[in-house]
Amino acid sequence: QMLESRASEASEKLGRLRGESERLAPEDGETHTQLPEELVPADADQPQALVGPARAERAARSEAVVGARAAHAGLLRDHRAAEDAAGGFDETAALLRDLLRDHTEE
């Protein structure tokens, strides 16, 4: 019974995955994307050899994204601080204008 239950679950999952793959497949029967000529595998073992460098490149780019996000966050903080400082400067300038105007009338 346990084996039959597992086989039934596996069959259902296989059906769902097949349906999903058919739904996601390109309509024209072609591929989703084309590989550059140097990445087209010549045999079944070559893709395995390409996985390592691809993972390393992905890791490097992920680190670059994390760094870029941190830099962006820092720039946003600096921008907000500059806006706050400019607002403070505007208030001080307005106060000085008012003081000069009051002083000129005297």
Side-chain angles (χ1 to χ4, degrees), residues 53-92:
R55 285 185 178 150
E57 183 177 348
R58 185 186 75 189
R61 290 181 187 229
S62 294
E63 288 178 22
V65 166
V66 168
R69 285 184 177 150
H72 181 255
L75 289 171
L76 285 175
R77 280 191 305 275
D78 292 348
H79 182 258
R80 287 186 192 110
E83 284 179 331
D84 290 345
F89 182 79
D90 285 343
E91 289 175 14
T92 302

Side-chain angles (χ1 to χ4, degrees), residues 15-84:
R16 283 193 308 271
L17 291 173
R18 279 187 179 154
E20 186 176 340
S21 69
E22 289 174 7
R23 182 178 57 83
L24 296 173
E27 291 180 19
D28 58 5
E30 295 294 319
T31 59
H32 286 282
T33 187
Q34 294 295 325
L35 289 173
E37 193 64 36
E38 66 272 8
L39 295 179
V40 175
D43 58 27
D45 294 330
Q46 189 178 6
Q48 289 299 331
L50 297 173
V51 168
R55 285 185 178 150
E57 183 177 348
R58 185 186 75 189
R61 290 181 187 229
S62 294
E63 288 178 22
V65 166
V66 168
R69 285 184 177 150
H72 181 255
L75 289 171
L76 285 175
R77 280 191 305 275
D78 292 348
H79 182 258
R80 287 186 192 110
E83 284 179 331
D84 290 345

